[in-house]
Amino acid sequence: MAIVEPIPQTSADEPRRLLLRNTLNNEPIGEIEVQAADAVNAAVERARKAQPEWAALSVDRRASYLRRVVKIVLERHENIIETVIRETGKTRTEAISMEIFSACDAVSYHAKRAPKLLAPEKKSLHGVMRFMKKLTIHHVPLGVVGIITPWNGPFILAINPVAQALVAGNTVILKPSEVTPFSGQLLAEIFEQAGLPEGVLQVLMGDGQTGAALCEAAVDKISFTGSVATGRKVAEACGRKLIPCTLELGGKDPMIVCADADIESAAAGALAGAYMNTGQYCCGTERVYVVDSVADAFEKEVVKRAAELRQGDEGESDVGAIFWPRQMEIIEGHMADAVSRGAKVHVGGRRNPNLDGLFFEPTVLTEVDHEMQIMRDETFGPILPIMRVKDEEEAIALANDTHYGLGATIWTNDDFKATRLAQRIESGSVCVNDMTVTYGCLEAPFGGRKSSGVGQVNGENGVRGYCHPLPVIVDRFKGKNSRSFYPYGKKKEDGLLKAAKFLFGTALGRWIS
Ligand code: NAD
């Protein structure tokens, strides 16, 4: 079974085409033409032409398009749900919560906050300079932004950066994943329906070739969400061109269950963290460290709850499909490696034999260790490996024993302890008594450390990250001071040294400076 299949070309000049199949039943769902470098460059040129007029609109006017988009998303919700399910196989509940609800929340949020966030900021200068100059920081758009997205949240992971880049005054070229291109196409339709001027948002179909061409094109920033391996290539391309990029990459998020945790809540949270979106969630729970004294109770509760989860291709279901075969291969590889090294399977552990589509059963493993891939590499599947630890110190050491650093969760009844532990975890964010919900907390900067990424989406850095913070410094005396700049000489040098000694060498001076 393949979800993305190349369609044989009849001649070498013919554009490459890909056939897409439904992950639930292998039925064809459509074709796309892979856009080559020429098409990408032409799109960038159109975007470049459209940008000044778009940037000249007030932030509030640009935000008004986003408000219209939210209205259309709500009106066309069935269309979006159907498209997302058809190309991912996620559950209907997840299509609504992750794609519709989160999309409306994110776009409304940016539309509402952007005018304040992008307003010019007056700053008081330090020391004596405050009497001589005025500083204002203007958030000016970067220009044309390329946005490259993955398949696990095809609508939300595209609409969120697109909304931020647009409201900041950029024009945008979106390259959605070749595994989920139709959500990207739908997004383009929705923005068009909202009346967005031509050339302001263009969506290009294609695979890695198109993504690579976009990185090489004359764009001013790349916002990339995807794997670590591709993220490195994107960073290299942007580095060569000296353009900024944000990289939102993979993770291997740890969950720490302390001895004083509420075991029922922690078990429920572990399941949600590990199985939401069938585990194909960048900051899903990929490994659990539970303190010995509560490990029996925790494991028992997890196993009981996991065994009750429903998986199916129709009707109500809790755990959906794997979105494409490449991911299934990784999941099965990690599973086989863990079992061969002594992991114990309590629930699941295999493809669902009762379903035709790409379904892997929600799985609980114990007796795992850091020799196993399941504890080291991103699995991105519905597997919950649980490792017992002596105490919280060991849990922290193991949580940090990874090159990833996206999210983490800590379960305890002691918020102060949780905060202390959180600061010792090398990850982009930490949630306490919750699964990783940082992406939905739009005020929070979301991004990874170590190999999990560079830069942040959301938070103030999100929208502002699509701008250059331009300091405009105005002399209060209309430039008259420059008349005394030259000539240099002993008198000036003595004066400067005297001023330095006063400002940095006396209590009064330090107070002023
Ligand atoms: P991927 O890296 O294979 O592909 C991501 C996108 O990059 C796709 O659109 C693809 O066509 C494009 N691409 C491929 N080669 C390229 C190249 N050389 N240059 C430019 N673009 C190229 O990732 P994926 O398998 O689609 O997504 C899954 C990964 O994404 C997981 O590792 C997951 O953790 C991560 N992810 C991270 C976040 C986050 O916010 N940190 C969110 C969601 C997913």
Side-chain angles (χ1 to χ4, degrees):
M1 178 163 180
I3 285 191
V4 187
E5 289 169 14
I7 298 171
Q9 287 166 286
T10 48
S11 79
D13 339 320
E14 206 183 63
R16 280 201 302 125
R17 298 184 69 76
L18 302 173
L19 171 71
L20 278 288
R21 290 178 186 277
N22 187 327
T23 185
L24 296 172
N25 54 23
N26 205 23
E27 292 296 323
I29 53 172
E31 295 179 12
I32 60 164
E33 186 176 307
V34 174
Q35 302 295 301
D38 293 358
V40 173
N41 292 333
V44 173
E45 224 169 277
R46 284 192 293 276
R48 180 75 58 203
K49 283 204 183 103
Q51 199 267 336
E53 215 171 305
W54 177 246
L57 299 179
S58 69
V59 182
D60 192 52
R61 186 75 206 291
R62 295 196 295 262
S64 71
Y65 288 93
L66 299 189
R67 289 192 282 273
R68 252 177 268 162
V69 162
V70 174
K71 202 163 157 267
I72 298 165
V73 167
L74 289 172
E75 280 161 12
R76 295 183 63 172
H77 69 271
E78 275 308 330
N79 193 192
I80 300 166
I81 293 168
E82 188 264 330
T83 305
V84 165
I85 293 179
R86 194 157 41 100
E87 60 183 4
T88 66
K90 68 172 70 184
T91 65
R92 185 176 165 84
T93 309
E94 283 160 358
I96 296 171
S97 63
M98 279 184 73
E99 311 285 354
I100 305 285
F101 189 95
S102 303
C104 293
D105 189 31
V107 178
S108 311
Y109 178 90
H110 300 308
K112 196 166 166 185
R113 308 304 194 282
K116 195 166 170 203
L117 205 56
L118 297 176
E121 292 174 275
K122 285 191 181 358
K123 299 257 182 201
S124 178
L125 286 167
H126 73 288
V128 287
M129 274 210 287
R130 73 169 69 96
F131 305 116
M132 296 152 78
K133 300 167 201 307
K134 295 184 281 190
L135 165 66
T136 309
I137 297 179
H138 297 264
H139 299 281
V140 297
L142 293 173
V144 180
V145 172
I147 296 180
I148 302 174
T149 54
W151 45 264
N152 62 324
F155 198 71
I156 177 64
L157 293 175
I159 203 168
N160 186 28
V162 163
Q164 295 183 54
L166 288 178
V167 81
N170 302 280
T171 48
V172 171
I173 313 241
L174 168 69
K175 207 298 283 174
S177 168
E178 62 275 29
V179 186
T180 51
F182 301 116
S183 299
Q185 265 176 0
L186 189 54
L187 187 140
E189 260 179 51
I190 289 170
F191 275 84
E192 197 184 326
Q193 197 181 333
L196 203 71
E198 218 183 308
V200 171
L201 170 67
Q202 298 171 77
V203 179
L204 294 181
M205 295 291 108
D207 54 15
Q209 186 196 355
T210 316
L214 185 54
C215 296
E216 296 297 341
V219 292
D220 300 295
K221 173 172 178 165
I222 292 284
S223 164
F224 174 81
T225 311
S227 64
V228 174
T230 313
R232 282 190 211 286
K233 293 184 195 162
V234 171
E236 279 164 18
C238 293
R240 272 196 310 278
K241 292 169 59 195
L242 293 178
I243 58 164
C245 60
T246 48
L247 305 171
E248 295 295 330
L249 311 178
K252 188 73 191 169
D253 287 9
M255 166 176 181
I256 296 177
V257 184
C258 300
D260 61 349
D262 175 321
I263 294 302
E264 272 189 50
S265 305
L271 260 57
Y275 303 148
M276 193 181 97
N277 217 35
T278 325
Q280 300 158 119
Y281 180 50
C282 57
C283 44
T285 301
E286 289 250 337
R287 51 199 172 113
V288 177
Y289 303 102
V290 55
V291 168
D292 251 336
S293 56
V294 290
D296 284 344
F298 175 75
E299 284 173 11
K300 196 168 155 216
E301 189 64 30
V302 165
V303 168
K304 187 188 98 193
R305 286 171 180 266
E308 286 165 2
L309 294 173
R310 300 160 301 169
Q311 190 169 47
D313 50 9
E314 50 191 47
E316 287 188 353
S317 147
D318 302 312
V319 182
I322 302 303
F323 296 3
W324 67 322
R326 195 180 79 181
Q327 204 53 46
M328 184 63 104
E329 282 165 27
I330 296 171
I331 293 165
E332 290 186 319
H334 285 196
M335 189 66 214
D337 174 72
V339 170
S340 74
R341 291 172 190 272
K344 185 170 168 196
V345 183
H346 293 263
V347 185
R350 55 179 186 171
R351 280 190 194 215
N352 192 320
N354 305 316
L355 298 168
D356 288 336
L358 280 185
F359 287 93
F360 195 91
E361 291 179 337
T363 297
V364 179
L365 297 181
T366 60
E367 288 166 48
V368 292
D369 60 45
H370 275 219
E371 294 301 304
M372 299 175 184
Q373 279 180 308
I374 201 85
M375 298 300 277
R376 286 198 322 265
D377 303 331
E378 186 180 46
T379 308
F380 227 51
I383 302 183
L384 183 62
I386 305 172
M387 185 169 172
R388 292 174 179 230
V389 290
K390 189 164 77 279
D391 52 24
E392 288 146 11
E393 284 306 308
E394 189 183 2
I396 292 280
L398 287 167
N400 288 337
D401 178 26
T402 172
H403 67 93
Y404 289 107
L406 191 55
T409 66
I410 300 175
W411 293 76
T412 167
N413 269 330
D414 181 345
D415 289 355
F416 291 107
K417 179 173 77 180
T419 307
R420 278 198 314 275
L421 293 176
Q423 291 172 71
R424 294 174 56 200
I425 299 186
E426 297 154 1
S427 79
S429 67
V430 179
C431 294
V432 177
N433 295 326
D434 211 337
M435 55 175 289
T436 1
V437 286
T438 319
Y439 196 86
C441 298
L442 296 159
E443 290 78 0
F446 180 88
R449 289 165 72 184
K450 297 169 147 180
S451 300
S452 288
V454 175
Q456 281 107 25
V457 297
N458 300 340
E460 288 190 355
N461 290 351
V463 170
R464 285 188 179 165
Y466 291 104
C467 295
H468 172 72
L470 179 78
V472 176
I473 299 155
V474 177
D475 184 69
R476 291 185 189 276
F477 303 99
K478 307 267 186 244
K480 291 200 173 59
N481 283 333
S482 61
R483 295 181 193 177
S484 55
F485 196 84
Y486 293 120
Y488 290 161
K490 174 119 181 47
K491 196 170 155 210
K492 193 159 276 168
E493 288 161 14
D494 290 346
L496 273 171
L497 280 174
K498 204 168 155 195
K501 280 180 191 162
F502 168 67
L503 285 171
F504 312 113
T506 67
L508 178 63
R510 278 193 291 272
W511 181 74
I512 293 171
S513 62

